[in-house]
Amino acid sequence: MEQPPHPTAKWCSILLVLILRIGGCTPVNYEIIGDEKTMAIECDGMDNEGDIQVRQILDMSDVRFVIADDLETLYYSGDIKVLMDIPQSPITLQMDVFRWVRSEWLPTPFSIKRDDFCKALLDPWEFWHPVVRELPKSQLNCPPNKSHVYSLRNISNHLFVNNMPSVDIAGDLKAVVHLSTDQHKTCMVVFVKVYAN
């Protein structure tokens, strides 16, 4: 059974929307479309600060996608298999966002840091929650053990985030994600297009 949002978080969201409207700032709706090249997932060159490649941790060879009639929306299905035991210590996450401008990736002021990724993974207020809630609850083990399987069934790359503060985030973006434990660090990259409306 899905946990209801924490009352404090709900009131904070309502207060934020009220402040934005009273302050003359109109909330914006964002459309986020994951790029098909996200399936490549591995960082390259200077983005890769890890000591172990994500392909040594996760086998994503079974994951496929189909293209919807709008020719933008992709639906991913298949199994992601864990190839090694993940240490039971907290996993930290550092995500930095870059924008494609004039043929190069430039840093943006947007970043996320989580000291306990497993805890954040299940938080309904995190931006990745719409994807996580589509996974079977019985599979949401974190950190996972070797041979654990995450099953994707028609997971969409198309996401809508409504009533957010207006920030200059539209365009072609790249999120570089570093996950770390006491023993290892790996890097993943996600490509998205963001539209503000």
Side-chain angles (χ1 to χ4, degrees):
M1 184 170 172
E2 192 167 321
Q3 295 261 341
H6 191 278
T8 304
K10 183 177 178 182
W11 282 108
C12 286
S13 295
I14 292 170
L15 184 60
L16 177 63
V17 170
L18 286 174
I19 289 170
L20 289 171
R21 290 195 176 157
I22 291 170
C25 187
T26 306
V28 175
N29 298 328
Y30 293 98
E31 180 180 5
I32 304 169
I33 302 173
D35 196 312
E36 71 276 358
K37 66 182 172 239
T38 288
M39 290 304 293
I41 207 166
E42 288 187 330
C43 296
D44 61 4
M46 63 184 180
D47 291 334
N48 191 6
E49 299 171 8
D51 70 331
I52 187 167
Q53 294 291 324
V54 72
R55 296 278 184 195
Q56 293 175 266
I57 302 169
L58 300 175
D59 176 5
M60 299 178 61
S61 61
D62 183 53
V63 177
R64 304 284 183 258
F65 65 85
V66 295
I67 303 172
D69 291 340
D70 66 6
L71 301 180
E72 284 185 324
T73 306
L74 307 176
Y75 291 99
Y76 293 93
S77 294
D79 292 338
I80 299 173
K81 298 176 190 88
V82 179
L83 300 175
M84 61 184 281
D85 284 322
I86 307 299
Q88 295 300 303
S89 58
I91 299 169
T92 61
L93 173 140
Q94 173 70 42
M95 182 174 78
D96 298 296
V97 179
F98 300 82
R99 185 191 336 241
W100 186 250
V101 179
R102 295 187 184 110
S103 302
E104 66 179 324
W105 290 108
L106 298 179
T108 71
F110 304 104
S111 66
I112 294 175
K113 183 174 182 176
R114 300 292 181 264
D115 293 327
D116 188 342
F117 174 65
C118 288
K119 183 177 177 183
L121 184 68
L122 302 175
D123 186 340
W125 290 96
E126 293 285 5
F127 74 92
W128 50 70
H129 184 69
V131 174
V132 172
R133 73 176 176 208
E134 297 296 325
L135 296 173
K137 292 191 186 323
S138 62
Q139 294 181 3
L140 290 177
N141 296 353
C142 190
N145 294 321
K146 184 177 181 179
S147 302
H148 185 75
V149 174
Y150 296 100
S151 298
L152 308 181
R153 298 295 176 257
N154 292 321
I155 303 290
S156 175
N157 69 327
H158 212 144
L159 178 67
F160 295 90
V161 181
N162 298 319
N163 297 316
M164 296 300 292
S166 178
V167 292
D168 184 20
I169 194 70
D172 291 322
L173 304 179
K174 172 177 79 167
V176 178
V177 181
H178 290 104
L179 296 166
S180 304
T181 66
D182 291 338
Q183 299 172 346
H184 296 293
K185 186 173 187 178
T186 193
C187 179
M188 297 185 297
V189 64
V190 177
F191 296 92
V192 296
K193 291 183 184 300
V194 177
Y195 302 96
N197 32 345

